[in-house]
Each structure stands twice: as C-alpha cells, then as structure tokens.
Amino acid sequence: MSIKENLHSIHQEIETVCKEWGRDPAGVNLMAVSKMQSAQSIHEALDAGQRLFGENRVQEAQEHWQAIRDSGDYEDLQLHLIGPLQTNKVKDAVALFDVIQTIDREKLAVKLANEMAEQNRDLPCFIQVNTGLEDQKAGIAPQAVSEFYDMCKYECGLDIAGLMCIPPLDDPPALHFGLLKQLAEDVGLSQLSMGMSGDYERAIPLGSTIIRVGTGIFGARS
Ligand SMILES: *Cc1c(COP(=O)(O)O)cnc(C)c1O
C-alpha cells in the first residue's frame, strides 16, 4: 500500500475505534514519525495532506525539514521532537520544532526555558514519563511527575501541555496508557501522547490525543 493509502486506512481505524469508545475522532491527532525515512516518503505524506510529524533526532530533523520549513509551502506544518534531547542541541531544537515532547530532567527544562526566552519562542512541551521504570529508557518516574510538573511550570515557566510515554516492549501497553492518563488527570493535563503503530488502537480508548505512527504509515525504516 502507498503512504497515502496507509494514512487513509489509519484514519479509518481511528474513526472506528473512536465510535466504539464514544470519542470524537477530531480529538485524536495522527502524527507521522518520519525518522529514518527518505525525502521522497516525506513528500508523499505531505502530498497526502499529512501535516503533523515527529522526529527523534535534532540533526536528522534539520536534514529532513529545514528546507521544507524555509520554503514556506506548508504553513500548517507541525514538527514535534519525540526523541531524547541533549542540552547542547537545545538551541537548534527550539529553533526548528513546534513542540518538545521529551522533557525528562530538570537541567533540560531550565535550558529549554532559557533558550525559548532567548529566541522569543514559546513552545508547548510534554513531560516524558518512564511508566515502566526501565533503566534504558528516558523519562520521569511516575511518582515524581507531579513535583516535576510543578518545577517545569512554576519555576521554569514552561508551557506544559501533556504527558508522553513509550511502554516497555514486553508489557501489555494498556497498563501504561492507563497509568499515563491517571497521572495527567492528577496534575490537570489534557494532552496524552501515547500509542504507536502496534498499539494505537489500545491507546485511543485510554484517552490518547496524539498517536505516533512510523512504520504503519511509511513501512519499515531503512
Ligand atoms: C519510532 C518512534 C515511534 C514510531 O514507532 P512505530 O512503531 O514505527 O510506529 C513512536 N514514538 C517514538 C518515541 C519513536 O521513537
């Protein structure tokens, strides 16, 4: 199937799941994760009307998107950073992205806030939560989310829009989606970035507002 057909069938699936669970499909945003995809594939997605994209690495995102951004052809383009952010890349990230989804430590929050002030850009941010408490995964521990949120919001002045998670591979994802939803409710956040190609149907009933789909749209990564 083509990228356009994949996008279409995922939109249909979103509608089906939303109907089943009494959700408005307009509240579920489909992000196309374009990491490790070709320029041609990215253009196919743009041609099919896709405007929300996610990238994992700052440098790769610049290679993929800077020229497209500068062309001014897609004014409604939305680029989210969904991979780990090193503090030495904060400047470039603030310049390129519209949303940072991976705030996971105080030092990064402080640096982001300073850089946004410097560039006069106020990007919405998500706190990444390590719902499975995995050593190799970034993110704030569930029990520390509330305190971290207060620090980001009241000490750094960041615009925190929601929470994001990547569940462990070998756990039922619904446990983690349910936990993220609960944590967001506890601090009064409405945006939930959760669900990928393999599990977005399970993230929607649990309140996902952004599903991040790579291979399901573009096929396998090169
Ligand atoms: C790669 C990636 C995705 C997309 O994964 P697929 O399984 O290809 O849909 C989603 N979220 C994050 C954080 C990723 O790194």
Side-chain angles (χ1 to χ4, degrees):
M1 287 217 295
S2 69
I3 288 168
K4 186 176 178 177
E5 287 166 332
N6 288 339
L7 283 165
H8 182 70
S9 73
I10 294 168
H11 278 297
Q12 282 189 322
E13 183 65 19
I14 293 170
E15 282 207 17
T16 304
V17 179
C18 281
K19 196 172 242 176
E20 194 177 334
W21 292 87
R23 288 197 61 192
D24 179 358
V28 181
N29 297 284
L30 173 58
M31 167 192 288
V33 178
S34 48
K35 68 179 182 209
M36 295 167 88
Q37 300 295 343
S38 67
Q40 188 191 331
S41 292
I42 287 172
H43 278 281
E44 271 181 59
L46 285 166
D47 288 346
Q50 179 67 30
R51 291 294 180 272
L52 172 60
F53 290 87
E55 289 278 353
N56 262 54
R57 295 176 57 246
V58 176
Q59 194 186 329
E60 186 187 359
Q62 287 173 317
E63 288 160 13
H64 278 167
W65 294 103
Q66 194 64 61
I68 294 173
R69 256 274 135 88
D70 294 346
S71 75
D73 290 345
Y74 304 98
E75 283 192 347
D76 47 354
L77 181 66
Q78 276 272 324
L79 278 185
H80 292 208
L81 179 65
I82 58 169
L85 179 55
Q86 292 161 352
T87 43
N88 64 354
K89 294 279 168 59
V90 162
K91 190 173 187 166
D92 289 341
V94 168
L96 180 67
F97 288 98
D98 301 292
V99 174
I100 308 289
Q101 288 207 2
T102 48
I103 300 196
D104 61 356
R105 58 200 190 278
E106 179 166 356
K107 189 176 166 201
L108 178 60
V110 170
K111 185 105 191 207
L112 273 168
N114 289 340
E115 190 57 40
M116 286 184 205
E118 189 78 25
Q119 296 188 30
N120 199 16
R121 278 170 65 75
D122 192 13
L123 313 188
C125 297
F126 285 63
I127 294 169
Q128 182 173 355
V129 184
N130 190 356
T131 55
L133 290 171
E134 293 173 283
D135 287 339
Q136 77 280 15
K137 221 164 251 171
I140 299 295
Q143 65 271 21
V145 165
S146 170
E147 195 182 334
F148 187 76
Y149 168 76
D150 285 346
M151 188 277 301
C152 288
K153 183 169 165 147
Y154 300 110
E155 286 176 40
C156 298
L158 288 171
D159 173 10
I160 302 294
L163 304 180
M164 170 284 201
C165 77
I166 310 169
L169 279 175
D170 46 7
D171 258 9
L175 288 176
H176 298 269
F177 299 150
L179 174 58
L180 200 70
K181 178 185 163 73
Q182 184 60 55
L183 292 167
E185 276 173 14
D186 290 348
V187 290
L189 286 168
S190 59
Q191 297 279 318
L192 289 169
S193 172
M194 58 188 198
M196 320 204 304
S197 296
D199 56 19
Y200 72 84
E201 292 101 330
R202 265 155 291 167
I204 293 170
L206 288 160
S208 179
T209 61
I210 302 179
I211 57 173
R212 311 179 307 263
V213 179
T215 49
I217 293 171
F218 294 108
R221 286 180 275 276
S222 48

